[in-house]
Amino acid sequence: MTTGNINVSVENIFPLIKKFLYSDHEIFLRELISNATDATLKLKHLTNIGEAKGVEYGNPVIEVKIDKEGKKLHIIDQGLGMTAEEVQKYINEIAFSGAEEFLEKYKDSAKDSGIIGHFGLGFYSAFMVADKVEIITKSYKDEPAAHWTCDGSPNYTLDESDKSERGTEIILHINKDSEEFLEENRISELLIKYNKFMPVPIKFGTREETIKEGEGDDATDKQITVDNIINNPEPAWTKQPADLKDEDYLNFYRELYPMQFEEPLFHIHLNVDYPFNLTGILYFPKLSNEINLQKDKIQLFQNQVFVTDNVEGIVPEFLTMLRGVIDSPDIPLNVSRSYLQADGNVKKISSYITRKVADKLKSLFNENREDFEKKWNDIKVVIEYGMLSEDKFYEKADKFALYPTVDDEYFTFEELIEKVKENQTDKDGKTILLYASNQDAQHSYITEAKDRGYQVLILDSPIVSHLMQKLETSKENISFARVDSDSLDNLIKKDEEKISKLSEEEKETLKGVLENAVPKEKFSVQLESLDSNASPFVITQPEFMRRMKEMSATGGGMFGMGNMPEMYNLVVNTNHELIGQILNTKTKAKQERLINQSVDLARLSQGLLKGEELTNFIKRSYNMIK
Ligand code: ADP
Ligand code: MG
């Protein structure tokens, strides 16, 4: 027997491992199964290249076993195993990464065999949950098996063992604080979380399965006991896109998110190997009415080992609303987010993903525009957010981002300008793009605009005010205006002479009367000589003010604008018959009643009449008709 002192630079590294290294103790299992997988894939590689002569690779599985009474957890593999010398080297010399050396030796041929790089301390993370760890291992080489034991201090023992089958068994003597890892449910949960798609089958207990015995009518059901394999070693993203049908992508989505019942809108298969290695499948979910946006996220893997579902910094922020997996060995782990963002590979990965998503959207748009229009409502938030946050995406999306009208037509920006240029360009050469945010609430304004042959867009996503702001600064001579932000004559000023039916003096009087009748802090009276058929009173809310408030509600806009009180304009059409009537009414009480009733109607059509004022309005109206 050999005993020795593990050569570590820090005097006692184990308490350090236990306390600081990983906040998440549970990852020990991922590390040990990763090692077992590495050992199995290494053996496969060696047999493939003829280095392991006379070795039968067979159908190796990795087994996880709980010994509740003995308070032990076993992880058993049929991989390449270790000789005593190798245990000494790879396990005792902590800083030595066997995988690194292996990769160095077989650099080019090993690249494709999917050997897992290191996550950190790997094997030693076992001491986070165990008082004592044993390794019983037999190498594929013709050498006696080895038995290594370490009780958590830097002292170890190394002995011979009578293990006869090739492979490694790790035995963890679970410590008092970690007894949760002796529970079947807990281990099962971890295996599903981290190892669901690992490339070597993982057995955890057995399960009952019903099979048919016999032929045709004579067939009977029979219960058999089979290995409970918890993983799918060949998940869809590891295959070539050409080998997958839509159905396969859908099935994989269900496998990833078993609790998600809605189907995704479409998928994007990622597959590059230069200048970095990345595979994956992203799905666009329906985002409208999404309640568990937070729950089903993109999952990051490294060579099929789950790492995290926090892909912030790796996937551009606007795409974190998507679902699916990305798998890349080229993303540094166990580093801070800020380091991650500065990493060259990560930057390249992020812009690759952005480009792939943009290209996919473009091809969907080109290939089946009708379908793309149908999906627009569900994907627009992601696209609009992307246009706002990534300039590269903005450039590409300009070709396929859609602007729907209240009549359910969908224009690209270019098409839209083409369509409205003639009718909606004002006397200064600016093209005004009218929009509504709510068809019902702004119905009367929309109708009026349509009567003039104007196109009214329906722009209702939460961040669209930011996008309008961006479009206005990056495109030339265009401006967005909500239909209820002013009178149409003011929104799209044409070079027409306006004739007023009222004299300047009459206007002055009218203005005074109206200002006395409506609350000054809320409404400012604005007299306009409009078409005599246009409404006598209209309430508008200036575009700038409202947009700034909306922008600050969704983060941004101008400082302090969010707290400004709501201000409205009361647009009065001096050419309307009713206005003349109000002006000429001699009885003060009657004049007041006409004004109140009219202004209330205007407020009603903006949805601004509520509470006591609404009650009074209704009472007054009944009195008038009885
Ligand atoms: P890494 O996996 O990054 O190399 P670990 O600390 O996880 O680091 O493992 C150290 C080394 O121990 C491995 O590189 C490998 O050589 C050896 N090793 C660990 N577990 C096994 C195993 N199950 N079978 C064979 N070798 C193993
Ligand atoms: Mg490891």
Side-chain angles (χ1 to χ4, degrees):
M1 184 199 289
T2 334
T3 56
N5 203 298
I6 292 166
N7 176 22
V8 288
S9 43
V10 185
E11 168 52 27
N12 201 341
I13 196 160
F14 295 108
L16 207 83
I17 295 169
K18 282 184 194 169
K19 287 209 182 69
F20 304 117
L21 197 62
Y22 298 106
S23 46
D24 256 352
H25 284 185
E26 64 180 39
I27 61 97
F28 79 93
L29 190 61
R30 175 187 77 182
E31 294 298 324
L32 296 180
I33 292 182
S34 294
N35 284 350
T37 303
D38 283 352
T40 310
L41 293 178
K42 280 176 191 169
L43 184 71
K44 185 182 189 178
H45 184 68
L46 291 175
T47 50
N48 280 347
I49 63 170
E51 286 252 334
K53 297 226 162 55
V55 171
E56 181 71 52
Y57 179 66
N59 294 304
V61 291
I62 294 165
E63 185 174 3
V64 178
K65 258 191 333 206
I66 297 174
D67 170 3
K68 220 168 168 159
E69 256 150 58
K71 296 194 190 306
K72 287 185 285 188
L73 188 65
H74 301 248
I75 294 108
I76 307 155
D77 68 60
Q78 295 152 26
L80 87 178
M82 284 178 277
T83 62
E85 202 182 319
E86 285 164 342
V87 173
Q88 181 74 268
K89 185 171 169 191
Y90 297 130
I91 299 297
N92 292 341
E93 291 172 36
I94 192 165
F96 225 98
S97 166
E100 234 164 48
E101 195 187 53
F102 183 86
L103 267 182
E104 198 55 49
K105 194 163 167 198
Y106 297 101
K107 219 178 218 154
D108 302 315
S109 57
K111 231 188 179 133
D112 303 319
S113 58
I115 293 144
I116 293 154
H118 47 170
F119 284 98
L121 265 187
F123 171 74
Y124 279 99
S125 63
F127 289 98
M128 296 191 298
V129 299
D131 290 329
K132 185 167 119 182
V133 179
E134 291 177 68
I135 303 173
I136 301 169
T137 180
K138 171 141 180 49
S139 168
Y140 73 98
K141 296 169 196 161
D142 188 21
E143 279 194 49
H147 185 180
W148 177 92
T149 321
C150 181
D151 64 2
S153 73
N155 303 317
Y156 68 89
T157 63
L158 185 58
D159 221 347
E160 260 188 35
S161 145
D162 58 6
K163 181 177 167 68
S164 58
E165 332 74 81
R166 177 197 74 220
T168 302
E169 175 165 6
I170 309 283
I171 306 168
L172 308 182
H173 297 256
I174 297 296
N175 66 32
K176 265 222 131 39
D177 296 339
S178 306
E179 283 179 5
E180 61 186 284
F181 300 116
L182 294 168
E183 298 298 329
E184 201 170 312
N185 284 340
R186 180 75 172 121
I187 294 297
S188 185
E189 177 203 343
L190 290 181
L191 291 174
I192 286 167
K193 178 170 174 186
Y194 291 107
N195 309 295
K196 197 172 165 187
F197 299 114
M198 287 193 66
V200 177
I202 299 163
K203 175 188 170 183
F204 184 51
T206 55
R207 60 186 168 81
E208 300 299 308
E209 211 176 71
T210 310
I211 54 155
K212 289 258 181 258
E213 206 177 41
E215 296 279 308
D217 290 347
D218 297 334
T220 48
D221 284 350
K222 191 187 168 200
Q223 293 279 343
I224 55 160
T225 305
V226 294
D227 285 354
N228 179 33
I229 301 295
I230 60 92
N231 57 332
N232 168 8
E234 291 184 332
W237 84 83
T238 62
K239 298 178 184 164
Q240 287 301 317
D243 297 335
L244 296 166
K245 299 194 192 69
D246 283 350
E247 182 69 14
D248 299 317
Y249 286 105
L250 217 58
N251 286 340
F252 180 60
Y253 186 75
R254 295 200 189 101
E255 207 178 330
L256 266 183
Y257 308 111
M259 303 310 283
Q260 187 57 249
F261 298 108
E262 190 134 38
E263 286 186 2
L265 296 166
F266 49 83
H267 64 262
I268 300 159
H269 199 131
L270 308 169
N271 198 343
V272 245
D273 47 26
Y274 185 81
F276 52 84
N277 203 301
L278 178 90
T279 50
I281 301 172
L282 295 179
Y283 294 91
F284 256 76
K286 270 192 159 165
L287 287 173
S288 50
N289 310 318
E290 187 52 64
I291 30 171
N292 42 6
L293 240 171
Q294 286 313 304
K295 227 184 70 225
D296 291 327
K297 298 196 257 179
I298 296 177
Q299 303 179 0
L300 174 67
F301 287 76
Q302 283 205 341
N303 294 317
Q304 296 174 241
V305 189
F306 174 80
V307 178
T308 176
D309 63 3
N310 178 2
V311 292
E312 184 198 324
I314 299 162
V315 170
E317 198 188 351
F318 79 101
L319 294 176
T320 52
M321 288 183 261
L322 305 193
R323 302 213 173 100
V325 299
I326 54 175
D327 187 335
S328 173
D330 293 331
I331 297 168
L333 298 170
N334 290 333
V335 295
S336 71
R337 293 278 151 193
S338 56
Y339 179 87
L340 207 55
Q341 267 149 12
D343 184 84
N345 260 340
V346 173
K347 272 194 193 144
K348 278 186 217 138
I349 287 173
S350 170
S351 55
Y352 166 79
I353 295 174
T354 304
R355 196 175 70 236
K356 282 296 271 197
V357 170
D359 290 348
K360 176 75 181 195
L361 290 165
K362 182 86 206 310
S363 78
L364 287 169
F365 171 81
N366 287 343
E367 279 156 28
N368 191 348
R369 173 146 177 182
E370 202 183 321
D371 189 51
F372 190 78
E373 289 178 359
K374 272 203 206 102
K375 287 171 175 160
W376 179 253
N377 215 26
D378 293 306
I379 61 178
K380 65 184 177 194
V381 179
V382 176
I383 296 176
E384 288 165 357
Y385 192 13
M387 290 173 77
L388 278 170
S389 53
E390 304 272 329
D391 284 338
K392 285 251 165 63
F393 188 79
Y394 176 85
E395 280 163 33
K396 294 204 170 208
D398 197 36
K399 303 273 180 295
F400 58 73
L402 293 177
Y403 300 85
T405 71
V406 291
D407 300 315
D408 243 357
E409 275 191 274
Y410 290 78
F411 298 115
T412 62
F413 195 82
E414 205 182 304
E415 292 164 352
L416 177 67
I417 297 298
E418 201 46 49
K419 182 91 181 171
V420 304
K421 204 165 57 191
E422 199 175 338
N423 202 12
Q424 290 176 219
T425 301
D426 67 13
K427 62 181 169 51
D428 302 319
K430 196 164 220 178
T431 304
I432 310 300
L433 303 170
L434 296 176
Y435 71 98
S437 61
N438 185 319
Q439 292 225 45
D440 289 332
Q442 291 141 18
H443 185 268
S444 59
Y445 302 86
I446 295 170
T447 311
E448 212 173 315
K450 279 174 59 179
D451 284 347
R452 296 200 186 190
Y454 294 159
Q455 294 287 334
V456 180
L457 304 174
I458 181 91
L459 301 178
D460 57 3
S461 54
I463 51 169
V464 78
S465 49
H466 297 263
L467 184 61
M468 288 189 271
Q469 202 74 12
K470 182 167 173 124
L471 288 164
E472 284 173 358
T473 48
S474 63
K475 306 266 182 196
E476 267 167 38
N477 273 326
I478 61 121
S479 179
F480 285 89
R482 206 166 92 176
V483 277
D484 60 349
S485 59
D486 204 340
S487 68
L488 286 169
D489 282 331
N490 277 343
L491 287 178
I492 307 177
K493 283 207 179 85
K494 301 281 175 77
D495 235 352
E496 289 147 9
E497 190 68 46
K498 284 189 201 163
I499 305 153
S500 176
K501 284 187 184 170
L502 301 187
S503 67
E504 287 307 310
E505 207 184 326
E506 284 172 315
K507 281 189 194 164
E508 201 72 5
T509 318
L510 179 68
K511 197 160 188 200
V513 170
L514 289 170
E515 277 173 351
N516 275 331
V518 298
K520 253 205 240 18
E521 64 289 346
K522 226 172 163 182
F523 295 102
S524 80
V525 175
Q526 182 183 325
L527 301 189
E528 303 272 352
S529 319
L530 306 174
D531 191 301
S532 58
N533 287 323
S535 296
F537 291 95
V538 180
I539 287 172
T540 63
Q541 191 178 22
E543 177 73 18
F544 177 76
M545 191 74 155
R546 201 208 60 252
R547 200 191 293 175
M548 288 301 149
K549 281 171 87 76
E550 279 170 8
M551 284 171 73
S552 74
T554 46
M558 263 192 233
F559 181 74
M561 290 302 263
N563 300 324
M564 301 286 278
E566 301 278 354
M567 270 298 288
Y568 298 93
N569 288 333
L570 178 64
V571 178
V572 184
N573 178 5
T574 55
N575 288 343
H576 194 279
E577 208 186 321
L578 179 64
I579 304 302
Q581 206 179 322
I582 289 174
L583 194 62
N584 296 324
T585 300
K586 293 287 173 283
T587 9
K588 191 117 181 92
K590 190 175 175 201
Q591 190 181 50
E592 226 160 68
R593 212 174 59 216
L594 280 175
I595 294 172
N596 284 339
Q597 191 70 6
S598 307
V599 173
D600 280 356
L601 283 168
R603 294 167 83 183
L604 201 59
S605 73
Q606 248 296 21
L608 289 172
L609 199 60
K610 291 186 184 110
E612 194 184 345
E613 290 177 315
L614 180 59
T615 311
N616 291 341
F617 167 79
I618 291 168
K619 244 190 224 157
R620 197 181 330 117
S621 301
Y622 278 129
N623 280 332
M624 286 171 104
I625 56 172
K626 79 176 173 204

